[in-house]
Amino acid sequence: MTNTTTETTPPVRTSDGPGTTTGRRTRFAELPGLMSLMTGDEKHGPAATSTLDALWVLYDRVLRVSPETVTDPDRDRFLLSKGHGPMAYYAVLAAKGFFPVDRLPGFGSYDSPLGHHPDRLLVPGAEIGSGSLGHGLPLAVGTALGLRAQGRTGPAVWVLIGDAELDEGSNHEALAHAGAAGLDRLHTVVIDNSSATHGWPGGIASRFEAAGWSADTVDGRDHEALHAAFGAPHPGRPRAVVARVEPKNA
Amino acid sequence: MDTMRERFASVTSRLLDEDPRLAVVLADIGVDGFAAAARRHPDRVVNVGIREQLLIGVGGGLALTGLRPIMHTFASFLVERPFEQVKLDFGHQGVGGVLVSAGASYDWPSGGFTHMAPGDVALLDTLDDWTVHVPGHPDEAEALLRHAAAAGDDRVYVRLSVQTNSAPRAVDGARFSRLREGRRGVVVAVGPLLDNVLAATEGMDVTVLYATTVRPFDGAALRAATGLADAADVVLVEPYLAGTSTRFANDALADRPHRVLGLGVGRRELRRYGQLDEHLAAHGLDPRGLRERIAGFLTSAARA
């Protein structure tokens, strides 16, 4: 299975656009400017900014995937499960050259590939279409199992969910199974902006640990802390990093 | 003769040996049949436990990596319970896989309504681009399972049942076959209801089509069959919700005057246990019930 998105719409970058291979590296400080190009989804604003730092650290320093390798079967996979408020995701993908920055202003319009929830068949670099909560982690478990079944032990699978998204029962089916199966190439980032209606007494990380995962909780705005947590070894176990950010309703 | 489910396990186990692209995902149902295959292919026979949403999500994830997942459990837990996963983790992601159900509409009547899924095909009809196979015999199930496994990245549903016809027919995974020809009308028998339809229409001057692949619906075969008859009077006999395919028959005959009677499982919950034959009779799908309704429909046409 190849990523049909990239077959039909290969990532095209303008010669002076941002990207890691065009000479000038985009800086984190430029991302808010890219996000400001996208308007019309203000109700998802807090959801959008909550993920920005974790996404940036992943794409800038952790994930082994680039516009040139989006169809490489040995690429790392990043699955954005929390498809609400994808402006940070689009900004990071554009900054890394998966598609041109000039696509950002069309956000949500009829002719734009960038919707208020991402579609993998439209967005270069997007591994899954998401928006409905509770699909990414099960898909990530299947992706990790599929890579393992094909002897591809190199690629890491990352999935990002929200603390409220963790309410979905499908996620609990997935995290229980992943722990029992010892899927050590699977990684979950939980963006915790305290938006779950009933909260998670005892902490989110404890849920993962109880299911056999390696888990840590860090400051979701601290890039060094995120990087360290993302890179921590976790032999024989899947890994969860809970990235705490300011409460959604604060 | 083994059951369709037993054949599914034996055939799919062999296919796993032959095709490194195939993977089986189970949710604690049907695990015993795959025990040997799981030992040979521990990474391609995955039992996720009693987690049906995950069953489908894992299948979608496997497909995203290029594998062809075959997911199996009872129809009510395979199609109905995780329906949004079926919709999004396959269709919306643009990937394919094979759903293989057991239990059908009332394979285990004494188990009650919790294990009955007469609405599965109608529910899948709300989605685009699923092939649906309804075998009427274990040999047909084997042929259709092989078609499904080899169908590239297609999305395929194979509906297995303990209800079977006495003898297998040749099936090609696509078209309806014409078993009888007559002038009074056309009766389409789907999968395991063929024997009852043949018995019900014994001596009647009707064309009988046999359908084991119902999606896509072979409208061309239906049109051709109605051309043999005096009028385009069509009776659909389906082992799931009555009327499930009526829309497709209407579309196939849209440019000519026609009438369609959709027979199948009633929508109202029967709330009875008992045996398969008792449920067939209760829904009017036994030979006697079918004969009465088919004859009544064609007679009313003659009067009109």
Side-chain angles (χ1 to χ4, degrees):
Chain A
M1 182 67 207
T2 55
N3 186 326
T4 51
T5 300
T6 52
E7 286 175 348
T8 53
T9 49
V12 178
R13 280 172 292 152
T14 55
S15 57
D16 59 345
T20 54
T21 60
T22 53
R24 188 179 70 85
R25 278 179 68 94
T26 302
R27 291 175 297 113
F28 178 73
E30 296 174 56
L31 293 178
L34 295 179
M35 290 179 66
S36 72
L37 297 174
M38 293 170 272
T39 57
D41 187 30
E42 283 72 13
K43 81 184 174 76
H44 281 155
T49 56
S50 68
T51 60
L52 185 62
D53 297 84
L55 284 168
W56 178 255
V57 172
L58 282 169
Y59 273 91
D60 196 49
R61 300 170 69 180
V62 177
L63 295 173
R64 291 169 303 166
V65 62
S66 68
E68 291 74 29
T69 62
V70 285
T71 59
D72 182 346
D74 284 316
R75 71 189 182 280
D76 284 351
R77 268 71 162 181
F78 174 78
L79 282 60
L80 183 77
S81 184
K82 197 178 82 69
H84 299 50
M87 289 92 91
Y89 184 48
Y90 293 153
V92 170
L93 287 175
K96 290 301 180 185
F98 288 89
F99 54 80
V101 166
D102 62 15
R103 291 199 189 165
L104 296 176
F107 178 60
S109 68
Y110 189 73
D111 293 323
S112 173
L114 309 180
H116 292 189
H117 301 126
D119 183 333
R120 72 179 292 267
L121 300 188
L122 300 178
V123 183
E127 295 284 357
I128 61 168
S130 57
S132 179
L133 300 176
H135 290 261
L137 189 50
L139 286 169
V141 169
T143 300
L145 289 167
L147 292 168
R148 186 171 81 176
Q150 296 171 77
R152 299 191 189 282
T153 54
V157 179
W158 290 81
V159 57
L160 184 148
I161 68 175
D163 69 301
E165 184 181 6
L166 194 60
D167 289 356
E168 293 283 2
S170 55
N171 281 329
H172 292 267
E173 294 187 3
L175 80 85
H177 181 72
L183 296 180
D184 53 11
R185 300 306 291 152
L186 177 67
H187 308 77
T188 301
V189 181
V190 184
I191 301 297
D192 181 5
N193 64 348
S194 305
S195 58
T197 294
H198 298 290
W200 292 99
I204 291 169
S206 69
R207 302 305 201 279
F208 285 89
E209 286 168 342
W213 293 53
S214 158
D216 260 326
T217 302
V218 298
D219 178 348
R221 298 301 187 192
D222 182 335
H223 291 196
E224 291 311 315
L226 285 166
H227 185 241
F230 291 161
H234 50 97
R237 293 189 290 169
R239 170 76 170 164
V241 175
V242 180
R244 276 200 179 135
V245 298
E246 58 282 6
K248 178 184 178 183
N249 298 314
Chain B
M1 175 61 69
D2 52 358
T3 65
M4 290 189 197
R5 280 184 77 195
E6 289 163 346
R7 190 71 66 88
F8 162 60
S10 59
V11 168
T12 307
S13 292
R14 286 199 295 279
L15 290 173
L16 283 165
D17 296 337
E18 298 162 8
D19 185 351
R21 204 183 160 221
L22 291 181
V24 170
V25 193
L26 303 167
D28 272 351
I29 300 291
V31 172
D32 289 351
F34 285 94
R39 283 192 293 274
R40 291 197 298 277
H41 310 288
D43 287 340
R44 288 192 290 127
V45 178
V46 177
N47 177 18
V48 300
I50 307 172
R51 298 185 175 97
E52 287 84 10
Q53 295 186 74
L54 183 62
L55 171 75
I56 304 300
V58 159
L62 292 170
L64 286 169
T65 70
L67 293 178
R68 182 150 182 78
I70 299 176
M71 295 142 281
H72 170 68
T73 184
F74 294 139
S76 41
F77 314 137
L78 184 71
V79 176
E80 295 177 329
R81 187 187 191 106
F83 182 69
E84 197 214 29
Q85 274 76 12
V86 174
K87 176 180 116 177
L88 295 181
D89 297 352
F90 286 92
H92 184 55
Q93 305 302 338
V95 296
V98 184
L99 300 174
V100 179
S101 74
S105 294
Y106 30 64
D107 275 7
W108 183 32
S110 54
F113 193 65
T114 58
H115 285 60
M116 298 178 182
D120 54 349
V121 176
L123 191 51
L124 271 184
D125 274 343
T126 64
L127 305 180
D128 180 37
D129 210 17
W130 279 83
T131 298
V132 178
H133 297 310
V134 187
H137 186 278
D139 290 357
E140 297 170 8
E142 172 166 351
L144 295 170
L145 286 163
R146 290 179 179 278
H147 277 289
D153 287 318
D154 287 359
R155 292 181 278 277
V156 185
Y157 178 48
V158 186
R159 187 182 204 261
L160 307 181
S161 179
V162 297
Q163 191 187 349
T164 64
N165 302 309
S166 56
R169 306 274 171 169
V171 296
D172 66 1
R175 284 177 289 280
F176 299 173
S177 54
R178 194 184 294 169
L179 302 187
R180 284 184 189 162
E181 294 187 356
R183 300 184 60 85
R184 290 282 306 284
V186 178
V187 182
V188 181
V190 174
L193 286 174
L194 177 64
D195 277 2
N196 286 3
V197 167
L198 290 175
T201 56
E202 189 64 47
M204 291 171 95
D205 184 21
V206 296
T207 293
V208 175
L209 298 180
Y210 181 44
T212 50
T213 298
V214 295
R215 301 290 180 276
F217 187 87
D218 188 358
L222 182 63
R223 287 175 62 85
T226 58
L228 300 169
D230 297 332
D233 290 337
V234 175
V235 183
L236 301 172
V237 185
E238 303 183 273
Y240 32 78
L241 275 188
T244 298
S245 296
T246 301
R247 170 167 67 88
F248 296 88
N250 279 325
D251 288 349
L253 301 170
D255 64 343
R256 63 182 70 168
H258 66 275
R259 299 189 311 140
V260 178
L261 174 65
L263 301 181
V265 180
R267 197 167 289 261
R268 174 179 292 179
E269 184 182 337
L270 190 57
R271 217 174 281 277
R272 294 276 191 166
Y273 299 103
Q275 301 296 319
L276 181 59
D277 284 351
E278 294 172 302
H279 282 250
L280 279 167
H283 291 287
L285 297 173
D286 59 330
R288 182 179 163 187
L290 286 172
R291 185 174 185 88
E292 188 178 299
R293 291 195 288 170
I294 293 169
F297 176 73
L298 297 177
T299 300
S300 70
R303 277 202 300 269

